[in-house]
Every structure is written in structure tokens, then in C-alpha cells.
Amino acid sequence: MIIFDVVDRAGNLQKVEVPEEINLNLMEVLKASEYPILATCGGMALCATCQVEVAQGLENLPSPTDVELDMLDQLPKATPQSRLACQIKINENLNGAVFHLAAE
Amino acid sequence: MITTDICIIGAGPVGLFSVFEAGLLKMRCHLVDVLPQIGGQLSEIYPKKPIYDIPGFPEIKAEELIENLYQQILPFKPTFSLGERVDKLSRTEDGGFLLTTSDQTEIKAKVIVIAGGLGCFEPRKPELQRLEHFEGKGVVYMVKDPEKFRGKKLIIAGGGDSALDWSIYLTEIAEQVTLVHRNESFRGAPDSTEKVFDLAKAGRLNLLLNSNLHALNGNGVLKSVDIMNKQGELKKVEADYMIPLFGLSPKLGPISEWGLNIDKNAIEVNTFDYSTNVPGIFAIGDINTYPGKLKLILCGFHEAALMAQSAFKFVYPNQKLSFKYTTVNGVNAF
Ligand SMILES: Cc1cc2nc3c(=O)[nH]c(=O)nc-3n(C[C@H](O)[C@H](O)[C@H](O)COP(=O)(O)OP(=O)(O)OC[C@H]3O[C@@H](n4cnc5c(N)ncnc54)[C@H](O)[C@@H]3O)c2cc1C
Ligand code: FES
């Protein structure tokens, strides 16, 4: 199991457990866990509605690709901890990470 | 006052195709969209992406589909109010509707078709105290009329192409332009980036990199903006206008205030004809919801065809509708 924490917009923390061999990205897992993420663009790094702040474990994630950086660079509320959940593949790098859903 | 048979709110693919289906039944349409261009999500979010599930097109770029739809509806002479948001919807005494836009344009129609997609595209806003207080009083999110900025001091914020392009354009018009960007470089078009750095070197553009908007100052109207760099140093920059350009994102907006049954940001409809709980108002495309709903362009097209059959009864209450293929009569332009 891969286990990480998700903090919703109201500040509630919940552990999320995902099987290791799952072939999904973080946005898909958050949606499947009923978090209110619009994911308007379906995971193409084009809408930023899946923005998360990585409070812990950022250093374990692969760096953002160009498409993700292009989007993050345009957003008013992005910080160096901001990522797009749809661009984060679920794998063991995520163990112990803490993700905050960004404000809508 | 604009008078029409059907007023379509939203000029995305589904709103556009509705003009065709309505036109076949001799109903005229006027379209309103808050975006300055037609095409909805396809033009605003993914114009260059290929779409693979439009029947009859193994592959078509989003912007090409919109251009094709536009050509297809031209014979029915649709009229447009672009760059305007529909704010109010009320009933008229003769049983029709009156719409009022953000620019106070009034539109009288017998039928309303809401093809509003995911809602109104609205600017992403920076997190600043008293931002609302200064909206329209120095803070603007769109450059509608560049002349308004002649001889003024401007601050533009953002790192995308529109921030770069407007900064370049407005240095010609404004007294002073300051461009504020969070990072130390730009990821926009290389040409524009180079131009911006050249203008900064020549002293014609005040470029503040690694910096964020921090606070707005002014008594009633904007006077200056505090800008903080990565080291935490504050700088006060005088400004008549601040233009945050962080892209657009859809929000349901005024549609929620029109007395329609809404479930999770979508309008509930009867799948017989995609009518809403208010007779004479239909909702099609991404904006509606019903059991089994799929947010796909092709589903929106189907909904438009069924909607038009029922809308006919409101526009021509005394006429009988007989179903005809386009192959029988062709497209009879207005
Ligand atoms: C990245 C991406 C990829 C996609 N790929 C596909 C695909 O491959 N195949 C597919 O079928 N679908 C795809 N979709 C979904 C498709 O784009 C939507 O289903 C489609 O755009 C819906 O069309 P629409 O006309 O209902 O709404 P929209 O395209 O959302 O247009 C609605 C318009 O209404 C306007 N509006 C709303 N409220 C108001 C108001 N009060 N006043 C004025 N204007 C208003 C909005 O500004 C907007 O322009 C994709 C979507 C995205 C984001
Ligand atoms: S889902 Fe649109 S950017 Fe991630």
C-alpha cells in the first residue's frame, strides 16, 4: 500500500491508501476519493483545478514537466510547493507525503 | 434592444450548433458569451488540441471544429454579443423573456437556451486584501479598450503570454508600465519574452521579477501597490490601474439566480427535450445534468436537436412541425 495524507479545503486531514500497482495519477485518486476537484481538463495540465500544495514530501516527487510548469507559472496563487495533482503519478515516492487541496 | 426568437447563453460548440438546428426550423438566434471570442472551452482552454470523438472526423483540432461550426451556422445569420455576461433574466408580459448583460444590453426572446458549459469564464484573481473594493476602481481584469490607459501608470501582473503581450503593447500607450512576475524568467513565447527584456533594458518597462503583489493602497480608488520580492523587501509602486492577468477559469455565475433547479453546479433537465423547470428555458451541453449525463460535445449536439423541436412550439405556437431531413430541402438560408 502507498499511504499519504490529504488535507481538504476545510482543513480536515485524512489518510489515503492506494494499492501499489495502480496506474493512476493523484488527481484521479482524489476524485475517486470524492474530494471536490473539478478536473475540468481531464488531466492535461490545462485547467489548474487540481492544484495542490505539497506540505511534505515534495523532494521525493519528480520535478514538474514543461506543461505543468507552463500552467503553474500563470497562476496567481501558486507557490514553490504548488503542483498539479493530475501530473503526479501514484507510486511509492508518495509514501508519507502531505497534500493540501488549493483553494478554488 | 435586441429582439430574437431564441437567445442562446454561451457560444461554445453546443450553443453554436443550436443555431443550426433552430435555423432548420426557421427560428432566429442571438448568442451571448462573456468571452471575447466564440468556441467556449475549445477556444479558451485547448484550441490546438486534436479531438478524436466527433462523428465523421477521425481527428480535428478544437479551433478547426469551432471554425467549421461557425461556417455551418452562417446561413442562419446568427447575431452575437461577445465579451458580455448575461446577468439578469426576467419574464415579459407577453410570456417571453428579457435578458440584461453586464454591458446593459437588453435582449428580448421567446425562448432561452442555456448552453453555458461549466459556467462563465472569469479571471483568476490574486489573493489580496480589499481586492473587491478596488475592482472597477483601478483593478481591471481585461483590456477591452487600450485607449483608457493612455498616459496612465499601470501595473500588470502575471507570467503568461497575455501578460507579456499586453505589457509590450501598453508601453506604447501608457506613461509607465510595471510588469510583476513571481519567477525570474518567463515561459511564454520566446519572441515576447525577449521583447520584454529589451524594453526593460531600454528603461521603457519597469520589470519586477521574483516578486509578488502584496497590498493595494488608495482611498476609494487605487493609488499604489506594494510589491514584495523573494527577499521580503517591499516596494511601493504608484498606479492608476492594476491589471492581473492570470488566465480564466469557469464559475457557474449568475445562472444560479434564475430560479432553475440546480444540482452540483448543473441545471436539471427533462431528457425528453432538455427543458428546465421553467417553461421556455432549455439547458443543453455541459451545463445540464440528468441520469447518465456525459459531458461530451457529441451529446450536446444531440441535445440541441431535440431542444429545437420543443422550442418551435414556443416560437410558432399555431404551426405544426413536420420532420424533414436536410437532404430533402437543403439548408434554406435566412
Ligand atoms: C482539455 C479538454 C479536453 C476535452 N476533450 C474533449 C474531447 O476530446 N471530446 C469531447 O467530446 N469533449 C471534450 N471536452 C469537453 C468539451 O470541451 C465540452 O463538453 C464542451 O466544451 C461543452 O460545450 P458547451 O457549448 O456546452 O460549453 P462550453 O464550451 O463550456 O461553452 C460555454 C460558454 O458559455 C459561456 N457562459 C456561461 N455562462 C454565461 C453567462 N451567464 N453569460 C455569458 N456567457 C456565459 C462561457 O463563457 C463559455 O464560453 C474537453 C474539455 C477540455 C477542457
Ligand atoms: S485536471 Fe486540469 S490541470 Fe489537472
Side-chain angles (χ1 to χ4, degrees):
Chain A
M1 279 293 180
I2 298 162
I3 305 175
F4 50 86
D5 290 337
V6 176
V7 181
D8 70 13
R9 295 185 183 120
N12 305 313
L13 184 146
Q14 198 147 20
K15 285 213 176 307
V16 175
E17 294 189 20
V18 205
E20 256 135 44
E21 59 287 1
I22 203 164
N23 187 19
L24 291 177
N25 62 50
L26 180 60
M27 175 275 282
E28 292 167 314
V29 168
L30 292 174
K31 274 202 89 148
S33 315
E34 311 253 316
Y35 282 101
I37 285 189
L38 288 175
T40 310
C41 76
M44 293 164 75
L46 284 173
C47 70
T49 56
C50 68
Q51 187 186 332
V52 291
E53 299 297 307
V54 190
Q56 261 175 56
L58 184 66
E59 63 286 355
N60 301 332
L61 303 180
S63 310
T65 59
D66 277 346
V67 275
E68 183 177 356
L69 285 173
D70 284 349
M71 189 71 224
L72 286 171
D73 204 37
Q74 289 177 39
L75 300 175
K77 293 167 197 164
T79 68
Q81 281 73 43
S82 301
R83 294 295 301 264
L84 299 176
C86 67
Q87 304 300 306
I88 299 176
K89 280 223 126 351
I90 298 285
N91 57 33
E92 51 287 359
N93 293 340
L94 268 60
N95 266 318
V98 181
F99 299 100
H100 291 246
L101 303 194
E104 270 180 297
Chain B
M1 169 92 69
I2 296 164
T3 306
T4 182
D5 293 328
I6 301 182
C7 183
I8 302 172
I9 303 172
V14 178
L16 293 174
F17 189 64
S18 303
V19 176
F20 184 81
E21 289 296 326
L24 289 178
L25 306 182
K26 305 246 169 306
M27 299 182 285
R28 285 177 186 273
C29 297
H30 182 81
L31 297 103
V32 189
D33 204 301
V34 70
L35 293 176
Q37 77 274 351
I38 61 169
Q41 294 171 50
L42 287 76
S43 306
E44 190 55 41
I45 307 184
Y46 61 106
K48 305 279 177 209
K49 296 270 176 206
I51 308 177
Y52 301 97
D53 58 351
I54 303 300
F57 291 93
E59 176 181 340
I60 183 164
K61 270 210 199 89
E63 61 185 5
E64 281 166 18
L65 178 64
I66 294 304
E67 177 56 27
N68 285 0
L69 284 166
Y70 183 63
Q71 294 302 330
Q72 192 171 20
I73 65 176
L74 273 184
F76 299 121
K77 308 228 163 36
T79 49
F80 295 89
S81 299
L82 296 178
E84 298 182 36
R85 185 182 62 223
V86 177
D87 280 340
K88 287 198 210 100
L89 184 151
S90 56
R91 279 225 104 109
T92 55
E93 277 172 17
D94 58 5
F97 297 92
L98 183 70
L99 297 180
T100 316
T101 73
S102 45
D103 287 2
Q104 306 307 320
T105 305
E106 291 189 319
I107 303 149
K108 203 169 168 290
K110 296 178 184 131
V111 169
I112 303 295
V113 172
I114 305 178
L118 305 167
C120 258
F121 274 97
E122 298 202 344
R124 292 199 189 95
K125 299 182 179 182
E127 223 156 47
L128 285 172
Q129 272 179 10
R130 299 200 299 151
L131 179 67
E132 270 104 75
H133 178 83
F134 288 106
E135 285 175 353
K137 295 180 184 126
V139 173
V140 295
Y141 298 101
M142 222 196 259
V143 186
K144 268 197 181 170
D145 172 21
E147 274 307 311
K148 166 169 153 178
F149 303 115
R150 185 166 293 280
K152 304 285 185 196
K153 297 193 175 86
L154 316 182
I155 294 177
I156 296 176
D161 280 328
S162 67
L164 292 171
D165 293 346
W166 280 118
S167 295
I168 295 166
Y169 185 86
L170 290 169
T171 49
E172 300 287 326
I173 292 177
E175 183 193 327
Q176 181 192 313
V177 179
T178 301
L179 173 60
V180 183
H181 178 44
R182 186 171 56 235
N183 293 332
E184 63 186 335
S185 57
F186 292 96
R187 307 186 53 81
D191 288 3
S192 316
T193 307
E194 203 183 310
K195 192 94 201 270
V196 158
F197 280 109
D198 286 350
L199 284 168
K201 226 183 270 160
R204 293 182 53 211
L205 175 79
N206 182 17
L207 183 58
L208 299 179
L209 298 173
N210 289 315
S211 300
N212 278 306
L213 303 172
H214 184 72
L216 306 174
N217 313 305
N219 204 347
V221 289
L222 187 70
K223 272 266 157 49
S224 67
V225 179
D226 294 342
I227 293 165
M228 192 188 267
N229 68 13
K230 286 240 164 94
Q231 287 74 45
E233 296 158 350
L234 274 180
K235 191 174 205 170
K236 197 180 279 301
V237 180
E238 277 182 41
D240 301 302
Y241 289 100
M242 179 177 88
I243 317 173
L245 294 172
F246 297 111
L248 303 175
S249 159
K251 294 256 154 59
L252 185 59
I255 291 171
S256 62
E257 295 153 22
W258 300 339
L260 301 165
N261 291 343
I262 295 201
D263 176 33
K264 294 201 192 89
N265 284 330
I267 303 172
E268 291 177 351
V269 289
N270 179 345
T271 49
F272 175 76
D273 56 2
Y274 304 96
S275 52
T276 67
N277 57 310
V278 179
I281 304 186
F282 298 82
I284 56 176
D286 279 11
I287 192 78
N288 74 15
T289 181
Y290 51 85
K293 168 72 183 178
L294 277 182
K295 287 186 186 174
L296 285 177
I297 299 165
L298 87 101
C299 298
F301 289 169
H302 159 83
E303 294 164 15
L306 297 202
M307 170 284 291
Q309 300 288 314
S310 278
F312 184 85
K313 300 187 193 108
F314 290 88
V315 177
Y316 299 109
N318 303 319
Q319 287 185 31
K320 249 188 106 94
L321 185 61
S322 68
F323 176 81
K324 290 211 179 69
Y325 291 126
T326 55
T327 38
V328 177
N329 284 340
V331 170
N332 294 312
F334 289 165

